[in-house]
Amino acid sequence: PAPLPAQPAGPVTPMQLLQLAMSQGADLERLEKLMELKRQHEADEARKAFVHAMAAFKANPPTIVKNKLVDFPGKSGGRTTYRHATHDEVTNKITAALAPHGLSHRWDVEQLDGGMIRVTCILTHEAGHSEHVAMHAGRDDSGNKNSIQQLGSAVTYLQRYTLLAVTGLTTADMRDVD
């Protein structure tokens, strides 16, 4: 009988199995199954790397404060007054804290039927695993905004809150209702 190939030290990876199968002339069906095993193994490893990076990120999260006062006449008299964390306060602090852990984010923005806007924040690790949070809302018709400003305001609001949600963060002085 032919001598057995040298066994690698440690666990055999799907890539090593694939290389062995190819060197032994495996048929296409077997190679496809091994390729799927390799893809699943890589996805599992990327997910583990994501979880590890998020744990490291959450060990020292950024402090995000409500840094802007909003004050304008209310629609039915009186005044509307509140504080909120601006888009740059949320985005800049979270982005800076994510980057050292190989994490980044992006947004997909869609205008849905009926005028609704959906914003999806996708958080991705450099190994390839992503997780996302989506929210939708109508135009923000508070204040004296024109129709484009109403869309822009809704988008930036949803961007802030989807980024906070996907990272599991909140503002330092967040109340139950804003």
Side-chain angles (χ1 to χ4, degrees):
L4 294 174
Q7 295 297 314
V12 177
T13 67
M15 187 62 191
Q16 290 168 326
L17 287 175
L18 184 60
Q19 289 171 337
L20 180 62
M22 288 173 55
S23 72
Q24 294 176 350
D27 62 23
L28 184 58
E29 183 179 341
R30 185 167 186 200
L31 292 175
E32 286 174 345
K33 286 180 181 179
L34 287 170
M35 283 298 294
E36 181 55 35
L37 177 67
K38 178 182 176 293
R39 278 190 288 277
Q40 186 59 49
H41 173 75
E42 289 171 350
D44 289 345
E45 292 301 308
R47 184 189 53 75
K48 288 177 192 175
F50 178 92
V51 169
H52 178 77
M54 282 301 293
F57 164 74
K58 294 295 287 262
N60 187 25
T63 300
I64 301 164
V65 296
K66 292 185 175 186
N67 62 328
K68 182 171 182 176
L69 175 65
V70 177
D71 184 4
F72 59 88
K75 289 191 181 221
S76 57
R79 299 204 64 76
T80 298
T81 305
Y82 60 92
R83 296 188 70 79
H84 76 92
T86 58
H87 194 277
D88 63 325
E89 170 74 5
V90 171
T91 305
N92 292 345
K93 285 187 175 177
I94 292 176
T95 298
L98 289 171
H101 305 290
L103 295 160
S104 64
H105 77 281
R106 67 181 176 85
W107 290 288
D108 282 342
V109 178
E110 302 170 76
Q111 192 163 3
L112 307 173
D113 292 338
M116 297 295 282
I117 300 152
R118 177 174 39 226
V119 173
T120 304
C121 186
I122 301 112
L123 185 62
T124 303
H125 185 264
E126 62 193 2
H129 182 78
S130 294
E131 295 193 5
H132 68 277
V133 168
M135 296 175 78
H136 67 275
R139 294 174 186 232
D140 174 12
D141 63 358
S142 63
N144 296 316
K145 300 176 187 80
N146 66 38
S147 61
I148 299 296
Q149 290 168 326
Q150 291 173 355
L151 285 171
S153 181
V155 168
T156 59
Y157 183 92
L158 293 171
Q159 286 175 331
R160 286 195 317 265
Y161 283 93
T162 57
L163 181 55
L164 287 166
V166 79
T167 57
L169 297 178
T170 185
T171 57
D173 50 352
M174 180 84 84
R175 296 184 317 238
D176 288 340
V177 177
D178 271 324

